[in-house]
Amino acid sequence: MTTKKNEIGKAFIEIDNAKYELPLYKPNVGPNVVDISKLYAQANVFTYDPGFTSTANCSSTITYIDGENGILLYRGYKIEDLVENADFLEVSYLLLNGELPNIKEKNDFVNAITYHSMLHEQMTRFYAGFRRDAHPMAITCGVIGALSAFYHDSTDINDPQQRMIASRRLIAKMPTIAAMAYKYSLGQPFVYPKNDLGYASNFMHMCFSFPTEDYKINKILADALDKVFILHADHEQNASTSTVRLAGSSGANPFACIAAGVASLWGPAHGGANEAALNMLEEIGTADNITKYIKKAKDSNDPFRLMGFGHRVYKSYDPRAKIMQKTCHEVLDALSLRDDPLLKVAMELEKIALEDPYFIEKKLYPNVDFYSGIILRALGFPKDMFTVLFALARTVGWISQWKEMIEDSEQRIGRPRQLYMGNVDKKFINLEDR
Ligand code: CMC
């Protein structure tokens, strides 16, 4: 299926006195898009856009960000409405299928996810191959990639039924994989999923229960984690999502593509920022050190950046950060941790940065990762699990984007071009003469 494009005119480009016409599309919302796909064939030139700052790599109907006004939509619904009124699996259904489910559709979906949550027992032995002090992101990435070795019956990307089963398996098994990575890193026995628990509660149960002792689910905390999952579920064509699409464009199976997405997410400029932000807050330690760190962040000769600050698309407050801040207060209240010293540092740091001309001028605001670390830490997760939780929640976004790409009749293998600046006329010199 191809989404019909709304051509509203032409853009023109002049190269060496020759003029070329390029189709100009109007999206449902957002800036118009110039179609340069035929430019090379017509004019024998490439376009140059490191970091894809001006390039749309696909057409999509899943997520939209209005960075100037701090708006995030999933399938047309405002993130604030979804967090307030829906749970993570309802939002997952929406992202995957395009519409919110009715009661029957939701029950069927929740059932399917619940009954796919166990891992093939042989997979549990796969974990033993990792060093016991391995980072849980490394384990998660490896185990997700290994799913393709265990679930052959859902790797045919041309079969819609198999695509659907693979999508559900990934959403269902991700919490189990992540919880097992956590348990393994602690040297504790794996805890199996429980079918009478909700998605977030089940994850907490698998992380924090022991065979000897159940973890008591606190509804306020489980609901907060569910919100954190919704806030991370999808975010347009970011680095990891583009990685999933690029990997998938070659026809690779969905499990391999999601493993690629996890790898891309790990970097501190992307999903690794939640771990880095908490490390930073701990390093700052007390409010009187903030000025020193703000100074470092502004110094172009210092690589230090305020982690959890700034975004490629948001040039105003990230709407996810606003909800995250509110959720953070709810969680700390529920745990009687109102006076958490890191929250104090975070709030003071945010206040000082938002009044500083450097941050104002560059339009740098807190992003989703600024407060999420404080929430996750209060829920009991160690720092090295933060990015794993991001990956868990983003899996539905990745798989929805992958599915959309496979079903798009315009889909071709992703193959960027380059501006080659290397040598061209080197004469070979024999080894003994070099
Ligand atoms: N602290 C200090 N200066 C910053 C920061 C920051 N956090 N972010 C950007 N800047 C400066 C940067 O130095 C540059 O200044 P100049 O124009 O003088 O060279 C200017 O702002 C523009 O930055 P950029 O790196 O060109 O912007 P980008 O769009 O390529 O990068 C970013 C976006 C998110 C990678 C960057 O803001 C950053 O590194 N932030 C910290 C890491 C972080 O919080 N990442 C999580 C992103 S949200 C979650 C997710 O989607 O993964």
Side-chain angles (χ1 to χ4, degrees):
M1 204 186 81
T2 311
T3 323
K4 202 172 161 345
K5 294 184 188 58
N6 179 15
E7 188 171 337
I8 52 161
K10 301 283 179 204
F12 298 92
I13 182 168
E14 202 174 310
I15 303 164
D16 291 339
N17 295 325
K19 213 169 171 186
Y20 301 93
E21 263 188 18
L22 304 165
L24 183 68
Y25 304 134
K26 188 169 182 51
N28 286 353
V29 59
N32 293 341
V33 173
V34 179
D35 181 347
I36 55 160
S37 58
K38 305 266 182 321
L39 188 62
Y40 171 57
Q42 289 172 350
N44 196 35
V45 295
F46 297 145
T47 54
Y48 182 61
D49 184 18
F52 305 111
T53 54
S54 303
T55 299
N57 175 42
C58 58
S59 86
S60 182
T61 61
I62 302 177
T63 302
Y64 174 73
I65 306 169
D66 175 345
E68 292 303 323
N69 298 304
I71 294 169
L72 170 61
L73 308 177
Y74 290 171
R75 299 285 192 183
Y77 294 94
K78 283 213 170 78
I79 189 69
E80 293 84 353
D81 284 348
L82 293 171
V83 167
E84 199 58 44
N85 301 303
D87 62 34
F88 177 71
L89 285 185
E90 214 169 320
V91 172
S92 297
Y93 183 99
L94 171 71
L95 288 168
L96 263 180
N97 300 295
E99 297 293 343
L100 282 167
N102 61 29
I103 292 174
K104 183 180 178 316
E105 287 163 339
K106 180 166 177 196
N107 289 341
D108 289 350
F109 184 67
V110 171
N111 250 352
I113 298 301
T114 305
Y115 287 94
H116 273 104
S117 60
M118 292 228 299
L119 282 187
H120 190 295
E121 192 59 20
Q122 212 184 338
M123 279 201 87
T124 59
R125 295 200 283 283
F126 195 77
Y127 284 78
F130 290 96
R131 269 174 67 128
R132 69 168 173 214
D133 59 351
H135 195 292
M137 253 324 246
I139 302 179
T140 304
C141 188
V143 176
I144 291 175
L147 287 172
S148 45
F150 286 88
Y151 298 99
H152 300 135
D153 58 340
S154 51
T155 52
D156 179 358
I157 64 162
N158 298 314
D159 177 349
Q161 180 71 6
Q162 292 200 30
R163 289 202 295 271
M164 195 261 289
I165 294 172
S167 307
R168 291 181 169 190
R169 277 188 170 143
L170 276 157
I171 299 166
K173 294 185 197 310
M174 198 48 197
T176 316
I177 291 172
M180 285 181 171
Y182 174 54
K183 286 296 198 187
Y184 183 77
S185 70
L186 295 176
Q188 292 178 5
F190 296 143
V191 174
Y192 287 85
K194 259 189 168 174
N195 289 350
D196 59 348
L197 293 175
Y199 194 81
S201 307
N202 197 24
F203 180 60
M204 293 174 101
H205 153 75
M206 288 189 282
C207 287
F208 302 133
S209 288
F210 299 92
T212 47
E213 198 169 325
D214 268 349
Y215 169 78
K216 281 200 184 58
I217 305 291
N218 174 329
K219 190 173 173 334
I220 298 178
L221 303 188
D223 285 352
L225 185 60
D226 197 78
K227 280 184 189 167
V228 171
F229 288 164
I230 296 175
L231 293 174
H232 285 93
D234 196 44
H235 214 225
E236 274 192 7
Q237 309 308 320
N238 54 81
S240 57
T241 302
S242 301
T243 303
V244 169
R245 280 188 179 256
L246 196 56
S249 75
S250 71
N253 74 70
F255 304 114
C257 296
I258 301 304
V262 175
S264 168
L265 185 76
W266 198 356
H270 193 8
N274 49 17
E275 186 177 342
L278 203 79
N279 282 333
M280 177 193 74
L281 292 174
E282 283 177 352
E283 193 182 314
I284 296 174
T286 50
D288 49 333
N289 286 327
I290 291 174
T291 326
K292 188 173 98 195
Y293 282 88
I294 294 269
K295 210 167 147 209
K296 271 165 76 63
K298 294 188 320 189
D299 181 355
S300 57
N301 297 316
D302 189 327
F304 176 78
R305 284 186 169 199
L306 278 195
M307 299 315 285
F309 249 79
H311 198 273
R312 171 64 59 79
V313 186
Y314 292 117
K315 298 303 165 200
S316 64
Y317 213 102
D318 179 339
R320 301 170 303 169
K322 265 191 199 147
I323 304 170
M324 209 59 101
Q325 191 195 46
K326 187 167 165 263
T327 309
C328 185
H329 286 292
E330 286 163 9
V331 167
L332 296 182
D333 278 350
L335 293 168
S336 308
L337 292 172
R338 223 349 165 175
D339 293 328
D340 183 80
L342 284 196
L343 178 67
K344 282 200 175 131
V345 174
M347 288 176 64
E348 190 59 21
L349 178 61
E350 177 188 340
K351 189 168 161 281
I352 294 176
L354 292 182
E355 285 166 0
D356 189 294
Y358 172 95
F359 291 89
I360 295 172
E361 206 178 283
K362 294 186 190 301
K363 300 186 175 173
L364 300 170
Y365 293 82
N367 61 48
V368 69
D369 293 317
F370 193 66
Y371 285 102
S372 65
I374 303 178
I375 300 179
L376 298 178
R377 175 172 158 272
L379 294 181
F381 294 102
K383 277 180 286 183
D384 60 5
M385 275 298 286
F386 292 179
T387 314
V388 177
L389 269 87
F390 192 154
L392 186 170
R394 183 57 59 86
T395 296
V396 62
W398 289 329
I399 202 72
S400 305
Q401 299 267 354
W402 169 83
K403 192 167 152 288
E404 181 180 69
M405 180 195 66
I406 299 292
E407 290 167 7
D408 183 348
S409 57
E410 281 190 344
Q411 188 266 323
R412 307 169 72 185
I413 186 166
R415 186 23 174 121
R417 308 310 286 252
Q418 64 175 4
L419 170 65
Y420 179 68
M421 298 300 287
N423 293 311
V424 284
D425 53 4
K426 285 248 187 185
K427 295 274 177 293
F428 188 81
I429 303 166
N430 288 331
L431 182 60
E432 58 276 15
D433 299 329
R434 273 177 245 152

